[in-house]
Amino acid sequence: AQIDVCTRLGHTDYTFVLEGWIPQGRVAELTAALVKTVGDEVLVNVLPLSPAEKEAAPVAFDNPAFIKPFEPLVGLLALPKSGGIDPTPLMAVFMPIFFGMILGDVAYGAIILALALYFRHRFKYRDTLRSLTEVLLIGSVWGIFFGFLFGEFFGTLGEEVGLHPLWFDRGHDVESLLLLTIGIGAGHIVLGLSLGVWEAVRLKNRHKLLERGAMLLVLMALFLMVAILTGYLPKSFFSPASALLVVALAVLIYSMGKIGLFLGPLEVIETVGNILSYLRIAAIGLSSIYLAQVANELAGFVGNVVVGVIIAVLFHTLNVALGAFSPTIQSLRLHYVEFFSKFYEGGGQPFRPFRRSM
């Protein structure tokens, strides 16, 4: 590392020049440290960056403490491009909510919360494992919250202990659950495309602005048509919605060049598929309910109380393990594949400061 730094160092008998990167917020700290160590003979200059240098600048996250646990999860995919959007705060908002919706059980959430607190104490240093336990901790709190909304305690045992849904029973009102997850998916995708439009405007990228803006208008037209067909809007809106769809699709095809006539409709189908992919939030949550129900009913069928308790504990332990693993994987997938693809550009190089290894 010292040899590599020497390539950025020039010196004569009486002076030296060293060039390197540092976060702008730490320039004053660096200057004070140099003055204290060397004296005021050292001069620190912040150099103006060319567009090429701005693009090649290393990337360092700068998020509040409650968002930092999600930074390694973003880094697993790719660091954001220098000057681009940092999606970590967005993941910190939506990922725990998705996790909680899938888990949706007071008892399972409490167990995962207790385990996360234990392992968080064991992993004292902020590394990937500690960050993951903190993510599980936040997600488990949301799982308890949605458990009260759905009225679940070890699945169907919630009814037996007098826990009633504050919102709706997702195990019985499956239609409401499916509509809810599709609505969440539509909102998440629209947010991603809106960020993509904003990023294209900021970077003055006309191609991406047309493509993402046209896709937003296509979705708006499709949403209007669905609302008309389901009776939420009068039929008189159908003609304007159809016209909006045709114009937006034409702009989308134009933005893709010569093969736009082929790729444009495929892009629309893919985006609609991205929205429908959020149904996995409902599907995996329902599978957890049914597995818990099987555990409870098997325990009741067995004549021996001890054997019944053992069976129930085994099945519920399996469900807790799945409840920690599956929501995490599926929530990450919804962000990596469906959400980030609408605005996120990776390719950033990590900022690795020159320092002595401890």
Side-chain angles (χ1 to χ4, degrees):
Q2 292 177 6
I3 292 172
D4 181 62
V5 167
C6 287
T7 63
R8 294 177 173 270
L9 175 66
H11 69 92
T12 67
D13 291 340
Y14 299 102
T15 187
F16 71 91
V17 177
L18 177 64
E19 181 185 287
W21 296 99
I22 188 171
Q24 192 165 2
R26 302 192 66 182
V27 173
E29 179 185 348
L30 172 67
T31 304
L34 287 172
V35 170
K36 181 180 179 181
T37 306
V38 182
D40 56 7
E41 293 86 359
V42 174
L43 178 66
V44 178
N45 281 334
V46 178
L47 304 178
L49 300 180
S50 67
E53 288 172 327
K54 288 181 179 179
E55 189 171 344
V59 175
F61 290 115
D62 184 21
N63 292 302
F66 68 93
I67 293 178
K68 284 189 176 296
F70 296 86
E71 290 177 353
L73 298 179
V74 174
L76 288 175
L77 180 65
L79 288 177
K81 194 175 181 180
S82 179
I85 297 175
D86 177 10
T88 311
L90 294 168
M91 178 178 277
V93 171
F94 290 106
M95 183 180 171
I97 295 176
F98 295 165
F99 183 101
M101 286 189 65
I102 295 173
L103 186 63
D105 189 287
V106 176
Y108 292 159
I111 293 171
I112 294 175
L113 174 61
L115 291 173
L117 287 171
Y118 170 75
F119 285 111
R120 181 176 180 269
H121 177 71
R122 290 292 304 272
F123 303 131
K124 295 182 180 180
Y125 300 102
R126 184 174 294 280
D127 54 12
T128 303
L129 288 176
R130 180 179 171 86
S131 296
L132 184 58
T133 59
E134 292 179 349
V135 170
L136 287 175
L137 191 153
I138 300 171
S140 63
V141 173
W142 278 99
I144 294 172
F145 172 75
F146 278 102
F148 282 110
L149 293 183
F150 298 145
E152 294 179 26
F153 185 89
F154 285 117
T156 54
L157 281 183
E159 302 173 0
E160 305 297 330
V161 298
L163 183 63
H164 302 290
L166 298 179
W167 191 4
F168 66 91
D169 184 350
R170 61 173 176 170
H172 293 90
D173 194 356
V174 177
E175 181 180 353
S176 296
L177 181 63
L178 296 178
L179 291 175
L180 173 64
T181 53
I182 290 177
I184 289 173
H188 209 215
I189 295 299
V190 167
L191 174 60
L193 286 170
S194 300
L195 290 172
V197 169
W198 179 80
E199 182 78 345
V201 171
R202 190 176 66 86
L203 297 177
K204 299 179 181 180
N205 190 322
R206 179 174 173 271
H207 168 72
K208 289 190 179 296
L209 176 61
L210 285 176
E211 181 180 337
R212 293 165 178 172
M215 183 58 70
L216 267 177
L217 293 176
V218 167
L219 289 181
M220 185 182 300
L222 292 176
F223 295 157
L224 288 173
M225 288 182 171
V226 170
I228 293 165
L229 294 174
T230 53
Y232 287 98
L233 287 177
K235 294 183 179 179
S236 58
F237 281 82
F238 192 80
S239 295
S242 301
L244 177 62
L245 178 61
V246 171
V247 172
L249 190 58
V251 174
L252 180 64
I253 291 172
Y254 169 77
S255 70
M256 294 182 171
K258 295 180 181 180
I259 57 175
L261 193 61
F262 175 71
L263 289 183
L266 287 180
E267 188 73 17
V268 173
I269 294 172
E270 180 184 357
T271 303
V272 173
N274 290 155
I275 294 174
L276 294 178
S277 183
Y278 285 75
L279 286 170
R280 69 185 65 244
I281 294 175
I284 299 171
L286 289 173
S287 67
S288 176
I289 296 174
Y290 299 144
L291 182 56
Q293 184 176 358
V294 169
N296 297 334
E297 291 182 355
L298 277 178
F301 288 152
V302 178
N304 189 298
V305 176
V306 176
V307 176
V309 169
I310 292 174
I311 292 176
V313 168
L314 289 175
F315 271 84
H316 284 300
T317 301
L318 173 62
N319 216 5
V320 168
L322 293 174
F325 181 76
S326 294
T328 302
I329 296 300
Q330 298 305 328
S331 299
L332 284 174
R333 184 198 183 282
L334 289 174
H335 281 82
Y336 289 163
V337 179
E338 277 75 16
F339 186 52
F340 285 1
S341 62
K342 302 299 179 287
F343 69 93
Y344 182 65
E345 291 191 24
Q349 299 300 316
F351 172 65
R352 294 189 176 95
F354 175 69
R355 59 189 174 191
R356 183 173 297 167
S357 300
M358 300 301 293

